[in-house]
Amino acid sequence: MSILVENISKRFGSFQALDRVNLEIKNGSLVGLLGPSGSGKSTLLRVLAGLENPDSGRIWLEGQDATYRKLQEREIGFVFQNYALFPHLTVSENIAFGLDVKKIDFQLKRKRVQELLKLMQLEKFGDCYPNQLSGGQRQRVALARALAVEPKVLLLDEPFAALDAKIRKQLRSWLRELHHQISVTTVFVTHDHSEAMELAQEIVLLENGKIIQIGTAQELSDHPTNSFVKDFLEIDSV
């Protein structure tokens, strides 16, 4: 699904979280929203998801105005930073939650859950509970739950922030390969420039609620638009 962000602004009291943001995300792309704390990246993700309404501007999904649609009306899967798994449900039951809400046939639901357990390399953990899993495994369960309803867009808010460096690196490679397999339009938020540059096909760099630069990791490294980009990405002068 393609996404068009058109002149989006959002304030929280006197704080300008987003300031006339314009962005086009192509169908099937893997995009990283990058920036320091308070730059507007998580607010933009929540506006895309329908978890926040903009003060002005429009969100278009596949050419349709979705500005005030709720999350469940947008065909979007959202993965929260803290995973938000249900502790009283098993891994399989967590993955099946959205399918239960949609009252999917039992056999189809079971087949879909088994497919996702295999895709996420969690076949042995279907009957486990979240507190029996590692952080990386819980993150994969959260991704599986988001993908279970076959969304057209996957949104991830700081997906690896709570994990240690070694696990983060492993999951970056795994998520990149997963995206290659499923080709769902994917947008993730991060404050870690190395994570964005390693994982994203396109990086959107924000500061103070504005988009400062958009491009591939190579483009941002080779042609930073200003000193903020250069400093934030830790680009050395030659």
Side-chain angles (χ1 to χ4, degrees), residues 17-69:
L18 296 172
D19 188 4
R20 292 167 291 178
V21 169
N22 291 281
L23 175 64
E24 185 173 357
I25 297 173
K26 296 176 183 176
N27 181 42
S29 58
L30 177 57
V31 175
L33 303 181
L34 174 66
S37 178
S39 61
K41 56 191 186 297
S42 288
T43 301
L44 179 55
L45 195 78
R46 291 177 65 83
V47 169
L48 292 178
L51 296 172
E52 297 282 356
N53 287 330
D55 297 331
S56 60
R58 286 284 179 268
I59 299 291
W60 302 85
L61 300 178
E62 207 65 27
Q64 300 293 314
D65 188 351
T67 309
Y68 297 107
R69 287 185 198 168

Side-chain angles (χ1 to χ4, degrees), residues 90-93 95 110-128 140-141 144 174:
T90 66
V91 166
S92 291
E93 290 167 343
I95 294 171
R110 183 178 179 182
K111 181 174 182 288
R112 181 66 176 153
V113 169
Q114 290 303 313
E115 288 172 350
L116 285 164
L117 286 171
K118 183 176 181 180
L119 183 66
M120 301 294 168
Q121 301 170 3
L122 292 167
E123 297 102 313
K124 298 178 182 178
F125 300 95
D127 294 328
C128 294
R140 281 183 275 154
V141 175
W174 175 82

